[in-house]
Amino acid sequence: MAEPDPEIEKLITIFQEEVDRKYNRLIGRLARKLTHPKREQETELGNLIVDIVDQLDMLDVTLIGSGSIRRTKLGPLVTLSDIKEVFPYDDVLYKLKVPGVQLTKIFAHIMRLENRIPGESCCFQVSKGIQAVYSDSQNQLESLSINGQPVQADAQYTICIEEYHYKNSLHSLGITIEDLTKLDNAKVISTPCQNVLEEYFSHHQNLNSQIEGRLIYKLSSAYGKS
């Protein structure tokens, strides 16, 4: 077995110290530890992340994939390494304009029971002001409102989604790219998303978030009652 080279070991140590200084740097604080225990439900951490993204532009609805959030908890101290572990994807964020009938179709697709199989789901965290109610027993979306106002089929709404979900919209949202862009072309509003989170945490302290009932599931008898 070859003997360790002292010069190489010294170089590795220097490199590791530089990496640690960069990624273990404290960039923010939360008021308390926030959790993201399951991707198939609304979560505290999910609400915080989607609400940060929602502030990028004038948006009616922001959808962030629950699976994009890769840790189950964050805080109260937040380092750069924490941000990159919690949200490791550098996805572009797209802004689109869709009619209410399509927005309703999207929520019916992402909230359906068969999309909530643990480990196989393509579920989303949704921005503040949304309240969507889905009935498992009826297998349908019962209602969808934004800031207390029911979504109107013929009205137009501005939404934000990640690049992955835009490019795979039929699977992720139940809508083809052609249908998503009928009213207007998709516009990039930020890239990458990870930098958006880093900058926000750097300039805002004692952040907090609660589960608010943005996504409400009326469970069938096989799954218990909500």
Side-chain angles (χ1 to χ4, degrees):
M1 180 180 295
E3 292 295 325
D5 187 321
E7 291 303 317
I8 292 179
E9 288 189 329
K10 181 179 179 181
L11 182 63
I12 291 173
T13 299
I14 293 172
F15 179 76
Q16 184 63 53
E17 289 174 350
E18 291 178 354
V19 170
D20 288 343
R21 276 196 298 271
K22 177 180 179 180
Y23 289 100
N24 291 336
R25 173 171 54 91
L26 185 67
I27 63 171
R29 297 173 182 269
L30 303 181
R32 61 187 179 87
K33 183 182 295 182
L34 300 182
T35 63
H36 180 70
K38 292 177 64 178
R39 70 170 61 184
E40 297 83 20
Q41 65 187 35
E42 176 189 350
T43 69
E44 300 168 342
L45 182 55
N47 281 353
L48 177 63
I49 289 174
V50 73
D51 288 347
I52 290 172
V53 173
D54 190 58
Q55 297 179 49
L56 285 172
D57 208 324
M58 298 295 291
L59 302 165
D60 295 307
V61 179
T62 297
L63 300 167
I64 293 294
S66 289
S68 298
I69 304 169
R70 306 303 292 181
R71 277 176 48 176
T72 59
K73 56 188 177 182
L74 179 68
L77 301 181
V78 180
T79 65
L80 179 58
S81 178
D82 291 330
I83 293 294
K84 293 186 178 294
E85 289 177 10
V86 164
F87 201 96
Y89 304 106
D90 282 347
D91 251 1
V92 170
L93 293 167
Y94 281 97
K95 175 182 176 181
L96 302 116
K97 186 179 295 182
V98 299
V101 64
Q102 285 192 353
L103 187 59
T104 300
K105 183 178 179 181
I106 288 171
F107 272 84
H109 179 81
I110 66 178
M111 293 182 71
R112 70 195 195 283
L113 181 60
E114 56 268 35
N115 189 45
R116 284 176 268 139
I117 301 172
E120 300 181 24
S121 61
C122 187
C123 296
F124 291 84
Q125 302 295 309
V126 304
S127 50
K128 194 175 187 67
I130 305 300
Q131 186 177 76
V133 181
Y134 191 92
S135 170
D136 285 347
S137 60
Q138 300 297 317
N139 196 30
Q140 66 180 16
L141 186 71
E142 285 193 353
S143 64
L144 176 61
S145 63
I146 302 175
N147 297 322
Q149 300 299 313
V151 168
Q152 302 297 316
D154 56 351
Q156 296 182 5
Y157 299 90
T158 303
I159 69 171
C160 174
I161 57 176
E162 296 162 83
E163 180 180 41
Y164 173 83
H165 300 297
Y166 171 71
K167 291 184 175 180
N168 297 276
S169 62
L170 185 59
H171 168 71
S172 300
L173 307 173
I175 299 285
T176 65
I177 291 179
E178 290 74 22
D179 282 340
L180 276 176
T181 54
K182 274 186 178 179
L183 294 180
D184 198 4
N185 293 328
K187 296 178 175 63
V188 174
I189 60 172
S190 179
T191 175
C193 183
Q194 199 176 78
N195 287 0
V196 173
L197 298 177
E198 180 184 346
E199 181 176 356
Y200 194 91
F201 275 95
S202 297
H203 291 87
H204 299 80
Q205 299 299 316
N206 296 315
L207 296 169
N208 202 354
S209 188
Q210 309 285 339
I211 295 174
E212 302 173 350
R214 302 179 186 188
L215 299 174
I216 299 173
Y217 298 98
K218 292 186 174 181
L219 305 181
S220 62
S221 58
Y223 291 81
K225 297 180 180 180
S226 59

